[in-house]
């Protein structure tokens, strides 16, 4: 399955933040939306970074910092790994495990068109496997295409 198909089922809404937002604002967004990552976009809507719960943990490990006084710009990851709608789920999972990241912004024609997490990919892969299993079982039992 391609990422575009996965996003058609899951939805293409992406929770975003701005580089000038404070880390506290971003943490509140992560918590209130119950998500693990925010795409950081500039005033033109261009994807310029990503900020995830791992970044929050890293900041927590430093000596006490007031999250209300530090900006996302200085603590987001700017060197982005992205996918596109034509990429397959297998390709996305491979790059995510290789890069040790759990979130992949989907960018088409330089526009942010979605975000997939490792959880989304695992869930969709399981559904694919269940479907294939059912097809094969029906085939073996002579119920094809059942
Ligand atoms: P995660 O496992 O997704 O929570 O992220 C682990 C670390 O990688 C954090 O520092 C993130 O900012 C960074 N990160 C997550 N996703 C991406 C991505 N698609 N491109 C670049 N860095 C990322």
């Amino acid at each position: 399955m391609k990422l575009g198909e996965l996003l058609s089922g899951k939805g293409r809404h992406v929770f975003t933040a701005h580089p000038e937002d404070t880390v506290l604002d971003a943490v509140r967004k992560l918590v209130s939306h119950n998500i693990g990552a925010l795409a950081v976009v500039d005033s033109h809507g261009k994807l310029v970074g990503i900020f995830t719960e791992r970044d929050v943990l890293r900041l927590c490990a430093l000596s006490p910092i007031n999250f209300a006084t530090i900006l996302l710009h200085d603590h987001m990851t700017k060197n982005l790994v992205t996918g596109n709608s034509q990429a397959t789920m297998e390709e996305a999972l491979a790059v995510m495990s290789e890069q040790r990241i759990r979130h992949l912004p989907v960018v088409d024609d330089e526009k942010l068109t979605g975000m997939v997490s490792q959880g989304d990919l695992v869930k969709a892969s399981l559904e694919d496997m269940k479907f294939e299993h059912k097809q094969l079982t029906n085939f073996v039992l002579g119920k094809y295409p059942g």
Side-chain angles (χ1 to χ4, degrees):
M1 192 195 285
K2 297 199 167 164
L3 295 187
E5 293 167 61
L6 189 160
L7 287 172
S8 301
K10 179 205 159 192
R12 287 185 177 268
H13 179 75
V14 183
F15 291 102
T16 60
H18 295 284
E20 308 76 26
D21 290 347
T22 66
V23 167
L24 181 62
D25 287 335
V27 171
R28 285 183 172 152
K29 251 186 205 177
L30 290 173
V31 172
S32 66
H33 297 300
N34 199 22
I35 52 169
L38 287 166
V40 186
V41 297
D42 68 12
S43 51
H44 304 291
K46 185 176 183 290
L47 180 67
V48 291
I50 189 163
F51 185 76
T52 79
E53 50 203 0
R54 181 67 54 87
D55 300 312
V56 178
L57 263 190
R58 279 204 194 103
L59 286 169
C60 288
L62 301 174
S63 50
I65 293 182
N66 182 351
F67 283 5
T69 61
I70 56 175
L71 300 184
L72 272 193
H73 181 268
D74 299 319
H75 300 283
M76 65 190 191
T77 301
K78 295 174 189 163
N79 194 8
L80 283 166
V81 180
T82 60
N84 62 54
S85 289
Q86 290 309 310
T88 63
M89 293 199 313
E90 290 75 20
E91 287 165 342
L93 275 170
V95 78
M96 289 164 88
S97 68
E98 196 179 291
Q99 302 284 330
R100 302 179 74 86
I101 53 175
R102 290 167 298 172
H103 300 89
L104 192 70
V106 180
V107 176
D108 296 298
D109 297 325
E110 295 181 20
K111 284 201 188 82
L112 177 65
T113 56
M115 171 88 85
V116 293
S117 69
Q118 258 185 7
D120 297 327
L121 291 165
V122 169
K123 183 168 175 262
S125 302
L126 272 177
E127 279 161 13
D128 268 5
M129 275 193 276
K130 273 191 208 156
F131 180 74
E132 269 175 38
H133 182 263
K134 193 175 165 215
Q135 298 284 96
L136 284 171
T137 307
N138 285 342
F139 180 74
V140 169
L141 296 177
K143 289 193 206 161
Y144 190 79

